[in-house]
């Protein structure tokens, strides 16, 4: 499977996602940050169906006091995984690939919180805004590597391309991927280019970057 990893800027709509889908038709699945969809889940479902792609990331429901949720939308536009942050980690088999989420600081607060940890293929880590220090960047990258080794699963993380944590004036856009042995496929800091990852061959390419 080809996974498109995007780091859009924070926005109220999902225009950047739509452009990436239009420009990268060879992708099977798209990974985007925590909270990116906002209230635009219905539109995202329509885009998944229109472009025949799986969407994996996060969104927020305003009626739940802005609590983040993990979401997977399949190619038919159906929501096949939807869970609230800090709950039990859930996994879904999508086209033969067992996929689950850890959302943002779940990485360091609870890791993978599930008894269903056998045969995991990919753990997706949608991050909100970028890291607020070099120390945090190093800590999260190291924790991600440990999870990959522990569960013998590929792990892929991506933050937004902008934003800061609680008013801090530092934001380090972050994306990474470790294979099931903890070997880095890529580690990105301050580089928000869209990446295409072939999970079978563990190769990364850079589609033409969309400037908005």
């Amino acid at each position: 499977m080809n996974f498109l990893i995007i780091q859009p800027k924070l926005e109220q709509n999902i225009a950047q996602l739509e452009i990436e889908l239009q420009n990268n038709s060879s992708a099977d699945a798209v990974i985007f940050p925590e909270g990116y969809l906002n209230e635009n889940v219905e539109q995202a479902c329509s885009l998944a169906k229109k472009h025949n792609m799986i969407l994996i990331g996060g969104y927020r429901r305003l009626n739940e006091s802005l609590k983040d949720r993990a979401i997977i939308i399949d190619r038919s536009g159906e929501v096949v995984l939807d869970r609230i942050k800090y709950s039990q980690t859930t996994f879904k088999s999508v086209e033969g690939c067992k996929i689950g989420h850890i959302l943002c600081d779940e990485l360091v607060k609870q890791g993978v919180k599930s008894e269903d940890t056998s045969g995991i293929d990919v753990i997706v880590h949608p991050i909100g805004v970028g890291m607020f220090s070099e120390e945090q960047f190093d800590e999260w990258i190291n924790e991600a590597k440990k999870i990959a080794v522990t569960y013998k699963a590929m792990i892929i993380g991506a933050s937004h391309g902008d934003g800061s944590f609680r008013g801090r004036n530092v934001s380090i856009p972050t994306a990474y991927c470790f294979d099931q042995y903890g070997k880095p496929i890529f580690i990105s800091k301050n580089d928000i280019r869209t990446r295409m990852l072939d999970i079978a061959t563990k190769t990364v390419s850079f589609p033409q970057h969309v400037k908005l």
Side-chain angles (χ1 to χ4, degrees):
M1 292 180 72
N2 288 324
F3 279 64
L4 192 72
I5 302 155
I6 67 172
Q7 293 187 262
K9 294 181 179 180
L10 292 162
E11 60 180 348
Q12 292 303 309
N13 53 34
I14 52 175
Q16 293 163 93
L17 173 62
E18 185 169 9
I19 291 171
E20 294 285 11
L21 295 179
Q22 291 170 353
N23 290 353
N24 295 283
S25 59
S26 64
D28 297 295
V30 182
I31 295 173
F32 51 86
E34 178 192 70
Y36 171 71
L37 290 186
N38 290 308
E39 295 285 288
N40 301 301
V41 172
E42 186 175 346
Q43 182 186 355
C45 290
S46 296
L47 289 174
K49 184 176 182 179
K50 178 181 177 181
H51 295 280
N52 191 36
M53 290 188 198
I54 302 158
L55 304 184
I56 309 170
Y59 77 103
R60 289 182 174 186
R61 289 179 179 173
L62 291 177
N63 61 357
E64 289 184 345
S65 301
L66 294 177
K67 290 184 179 179
D68 286 290
R69 302 183 71 96
I71 190 169
I72 297 178
I73 303 169
D74 69 14
R75 294 182 193 264
S76 68
E78 295 296 318
V79 176
V80 295
L81 186 152
D82 182 3
R83 79 164 179 91
I84 196 165
K85 191 172 182 179
Y86 306 128
S87 64
Q88 289 282 322
T89 310
T90 50
F91 296 89
K92 186 70 179 178
S93 181
V94 181
E95 300 181 9
C97 186
K98 187 174 180 179
I99 302 173
H101 291 65
I102 48 176
L103 282 174
C104 202
D105 62 347
E106 285 184 336
L107 177 77
V108 292
K109 287 190 173 182
Q110 67 179 42
V112 175
K113 185 180 178 183
S114 174
E115 296 178 358
D116 177 29
T117 59
S118 63
I120 302 168
D121 294 299
V122 179
I123 297 171
V124 179
H125 179 211
I127 307 168
V129 298
M131 302 292 99
F132 58 81
S133 69
E134 294 286 345
E135 291 76 16
Q136 186 196 18
F137 179 88
D138 292 340
E139 177 191 12
W140 285 37
I141 291 298
N142 288 331
E143 285 300 317
K145 179 179 179 178
K146 291 177 185 176
I147 286 174
V149 172
T150 298
Y151 298 99
K152 297 180 175 61
M154 181 177 286
I155 183 168
I156 308 167
S159 76
H160 285 97
D162 65 347
S164 62
F165 180 74
R166 295 183 179 176
R168 294 174 184 262
N169 58 8
V170 175
S171 178
I172 305 172
T174 302
Y176 69 85
C177 178
F178 289 98
D179 71 9
Q180 66 269 37
Y181 306 108
K183 180 180 178 180
I185 296 174
F186 71 87
I187 299 174
S188 169
K189 178 167 59 175
N190 287 316
D191 179 356
I192 62 172
R193 287 180 294 173
T194 295
R195 290 169 170 80
M196 185 81 78
L197 168 66
D198 183 331
I199 65 169
T201 62
K202 302 178 184 178
T203 56
V204 178
S205 58
F206 294 91
Q208 184 177 359
H209 185 60
V210 179
K211 294 183 178 180
L212 294 178

